[in-house]
Amino acid sequence: MAIEEQQGTADRAGRVRMAPVQPVVSDRIDGLLEGLSIRKRVAASQLPVTATVALVVIATAIFSPETFDDNLFVAALLFHLAIAAACFATPWGRLPAGAFAVIPLLDCLAIGFTREAGGPPFNVLSIMLVFPVIWLSVHDRPYMPVLAMAGAVLSTVVPSVVQGSPVLGGSMIRTLILPLVLSVIAVTAHVMATTIRRQRIKLMENELHLGRTLGESVRRQALLDAVLRAVGLGVWVVDAKGNTVLANRAMHADPALAGVISPAGGQAPLMSADRSTPVPANLLPAARAAAGEAFIDELYWAGPADRQRAYSVSSHGFPPAGGQEGGAVITFVDVTSLIGALAAKDNFVATVSHELRTPLTSILGYLELVLDEPGHEDIRDELLVVRRNAEHLLGLVNDLIAVASERVDLALEQADLARLVAREVDAASPKAAGNGLQLVLDVEQPLHARMDPARIGQVIRNLLSNAIKYSPNGGLITARAFRTREGLACSITDTGLGMTGEEQEQAFSKFFRSARSRETAIPGAGLGLPVSKTIVEGHGGSISLESEPGRGTRATFILPES
């Protein structure tokens, strides 16, 4: 019953559906008996003996009516009737639990008297002893089989004693073999009943556990459904072959994402970050997830060209479990507004920077004229300070423009990277020495490549400046230039504050500054590394960081040698 109730709950939830378990006849009988009172259960257990005696009476009346002339036979029949009446009349609920055993014991005596009174034609009634013997034997109390054996013996011994005939004077089968056979039946019935009872208890425990498990599964399913409906992002679960297992409402409600789940016309449903290049089939999120690739915050565009939406897509795989194959959970977060806000910010920065560069250039031009004209010798030092700060401000504006546009104008020519590094180290040495730092140069000669010397010099200056600023307690800075298989490399290594892994991931973001630099009031605008990255990548190279908190940082950029 517990299983069926749980299955009904699961069906109403609409998730877990199992075929209903059809109860067998024995289960129905058990259920019927368990619903009866103790008195009715005793009467029901007595029913096979009573029914058989009734059939014996009918058969006797038809085939051997003269048997009723025997007073002992009639008395035996009345004994059966009295036993049946006692089943209904006795208040068994007020008596000890095993009191009912008196009924099958009396049955054994009554059967024995009926058999003896009826004579040889009624010897077959010994088979009726099976009913009371089994009735006693199937109970879990260990003394019940002993009572069953005693009843079998009494059914043979007592009638003979009452009639005054020798106990062993009758048939050997009835006197000796029959009690032995019934004893074996009693033991066998008890063992089988005990085994079945234990198995039934175990099945009931398993049924209860299954019901609880099913209920928990339904609860978890309902919770999962609620979560999937509540979250605003698209959730797409695929199997190891990239087939859809589950997609939440957000995936189906968004027309662009619905096309991702079920692409039509064989067209790639997603565009790359440039918004125009279709993503190849083998690089679609489901294909990458099916291949076992995990990725985070990949930018894709979806939808018609005039209504494209940007999505940050991530995939996390899960292993096979419980006989089910593995797969992956792919999430789609609509970042169109964020992309638009970032673009607006960059446009604003670029516009403001361009507007600032014009007056700054004009200011520097007029300062040069003032410095070149005589008569300003008494304020020349102040004018030089103004020019230096204006040049610094112009440099910041140019950096802002480079970062906002993510490109720089390069004037490529043959240059020696080793000479550039040596020159920038010489220029930075006084500031390093003022901070108690030892600046070491280690370069290979020569390292020629096509590059923009001014821009690469700017990159080296930025890296040296960071190394000096973030080594406030002195230490060692090593500037190296060397040749690798990838190209010409330059690394700046310090023994300063270092960065955490999270800070390293954001180091090349615009305006990013570490918490330690803000706490210690280290100056900077957070543009040095982004600008350096733009310049190096403009040359077709790469730049990277290796750092550990308290152990320092190594910044390395590589330029192609050709």
Side-chain angles (χ1 to χ4, degrees):
M1 293 297 291
I3 293 179
E4 293 176 300
E5 290 171 1
Q6 289 295 342
Q7 287 170 339
T9 302
D11 290 340
R12 289 192 293 272
R15 294 300 168 190
V16 180
R17 292 185 173 89
M18 298 174 61
V21 178
Q22 297 297 332
V24 296
V25 175
S26 60
D27 291 337
R28 292 178 177 175
I29 294 175
D30 287 344
L32 179 61
L33 291 177
E34 289 176 0
L36 298 176
S37 64
I38 298 178
R39 181 179 301 180
K40 291 181 179 180
R41 265 185 276 174
V42 172
S45 300
Q46 176 64 15
L47 185 60
V49 175
T50 304
T52 305
V53 171
L55 293 176
V56 169
V57 171
I58 295 172
T60 302
I62 296 173
F63 300 106
S64 182
E66 66 277 4
T67 307
F68 291 112
D69 296 335
D70 188 331
N71 293 331
L72 182 60
F73 184 79
V74 174
L77 295 179
L78 293 175
F79 191 12
H80 280 293
L81 182 60
I83 294 172
C87 291
F88 287 98
T90 305
W92 300 107
R94 301 178 185 177
L95 300 178
F100 72 90
V102 70
I103 297 297
L105 287 175
L106 292 175
D107 282 336
C108 290
L109 291 174
I111 292 169
F113 279 112
T114 305
R115 180 192 63 214
E116 290 293 333
F122 288 82
N123 285 339
V124 71
L125 294 182
S126 297
I127 298 176
M128 291 177 59
L129 292 170
V130 172
F131 295 130
V133 166
I134 292 180
W135 182 6
L136 288 168
S137 302
V138 297
H139 285 274
D140 55 352
R141 293 178 179 83
Y143 61 83
M144 288 296 184
V146 177
L147 292 179
M149 298 176 194
V153 173
L154 291 175
S155 70
T156 302
V157 174
V158 173
S160 299
V161 172
V162 171
Q163 287 184 320
S165 59
V167 176
L168 299 179
S171 170
M172 182 63 68
I173 293 179
R174 187 178 71 245
T175 306
L176 183 61
I177 302 300
L178 181 60
L180 291 176
V181 171
L182 291 175
S183 297
V184 172
I185 292 176
V187 173
T188 304
H190 182 73
V191 171
M192 292 182 64
T194 302
T195 302
I196 292 173
R197 191 177 298 108
R198 290 174 179 173
Q199 290 179 346
R200 185 175 182 181
I201 292 173
K202 186 175 182 181
L203 286 174
M204 292 177 65
E205 291 175 349
N206 291 340
E207 180 180 304
L208 181 60
H209 177 69
L210 178 61
R212 290 174 178 172
T213 303
L214 187 59
E216 180 66 15
S217 176
V218 171
R219 189 190 70 80
R220 289 177 179 269
Q221 182 68 54
L223 177 61
L224 176 61
D225 289 345
V227 171
L228 291 179
R229 287 194 301 268
V231 297
L233 53 88
V235 180
W236 185 21
V237 182
V238 298
D239 59 20
K241 297 179 181 179
N243 300 318
T244 300
V245 175
L246 180 148
N248 72 337
R249 183 181 299 175
M251 290 291 294
H252 292 289
D254 190 328
L257 294 183
V260 174
I261 302 174
S262 303
Q267 299 295 322
L270 294 176
M271 298 292 175
S272 300
D274 61 4
R275 305 182 65 172
S276 59
T277 305
V279 178
N282 64 322
L283 295 181
L284 291 172
R288 295 173 64 184
E293 181 181 354
F295 50 90
I296 299 176
D297 295 334
E298 297 277 351
L299 182 63
Y300 290 92
W301 290 84
D306 58 337
R307 298 191 304 276
Q308 275 190 330
R309 308 291 297 177
Y311 296 93
S312 175
V313 184
S314 302
S315 173
H316 302 275
F318 56 87
Q324 301 295 322
E325 64 179 3
V329 178
I330 306 173
T331 56
F332 291 76
V333 181
D334 190 335
V335 293
T336 308
S337 299
L338 177 60
I339 295 294
L342 291 175
K345 184 198 74 173
D346 289 342
N347 290 336
F348 172 77
V349 170
T351 301
V352 171
S353 300
H354 279 289
E355 293 299 323
L356 289 174
R357 184 163 60 177
T358 300
L360 281 173
T361 303
S362 177
I363 290 171
L364 285 171
Y366 280 108
L367 278 173
E368 292 298 330
L369 290 176
V370 171
L371 288 170
D372 289 341
E373 290 182 359
H376 300 94
E377 290 78 6
D378 55 336
I379 59 171
R380 182 176 180 82
D381 292 338
E382 288 80 359
L383 291 174
L384 290 175
V385 171
V386 172
R387 184 178 70 176
R388 184 167 62 252
N389 284 293
E391 288 175 343
H392 176 68
L393 186 57
L394 181 61
L396 286 176
V397 170
N398 289 332
D399 288 346
L400 284 172
I401 294 173
V403 168
S405 62
E406 295 186 351
R407 61 178 297 276
V408 290
D409 296 326
L410 300 176
L412 299 179
E413 61 182 72
Q414 281 294 124
D416 184 0
L417 179 62
R419 180 174 297 179
L420 287 175
V421 174
R423 185 178 66 192
E424 297 301 334
V425 167
D426 287 340
S429 292
K431 186 174 182 180
N435 286 8
L437 292 164
Q438 182 182 359
L439 187 53
V440 176
L441 178 65
D442 179 11
V443 297
E444 299 178 7
Q445 298 285 351
L447 297 172
H448 292 288
R450 284 184 60 78
M451 67 183 76
D452 184 329
R455 289 296 189 180
I456 296 300
Q458 181 181 358
V459 172
I460 299 170
R461 281 196 303 277
N462 287 339
L463 299 183
L464 285 171
S465 175
N466 283 344
I468 293 171
K469 285 191 298 184
Y470 292 100
S471 300
N473 301 319
L476 175 67
I477 297 176
T478 303
R480 296 185 61 220
F482 50 97
R483 183 176 280 103
T484 68
R485 288 183 297 179
E486 292 81 10
L488 303 183
C490 172
S491 69
I492 308 297
T493 306
D494 64 63
T495 57
L497 300 177
M499 291 184 288
T500 64
E502 182 179 355
E503 290 172 342
Q504 291 179 62
E505 292 177 0
Q506 302 181 60
F508 292 101
S509 301
K510 305 166 189 176
F511 309 110
F512 172 76
R513 306 200 62 220
S514 67
R516 185 70 183 276
S517 65
R518 295 192 300 271
E519 293 170 358
T520 55
I522 296 175
L527 293 174
L529 287 177
V531 170
S532 299
K533 184 174 185 288
T534 301
I535 294 171
V536 171
E537 291 180 350
H539 282 79
S542 63
I543 186 169
S544 62
L545 293 176
E546 298 176 46
S547 186
E548 186 176 343
R551 304 289 295 274
T553 301
R554 174 184 293 131
T556 304
F557 68 87
I558 300 176
L559 302 176
E561 195 168 358
S562 59

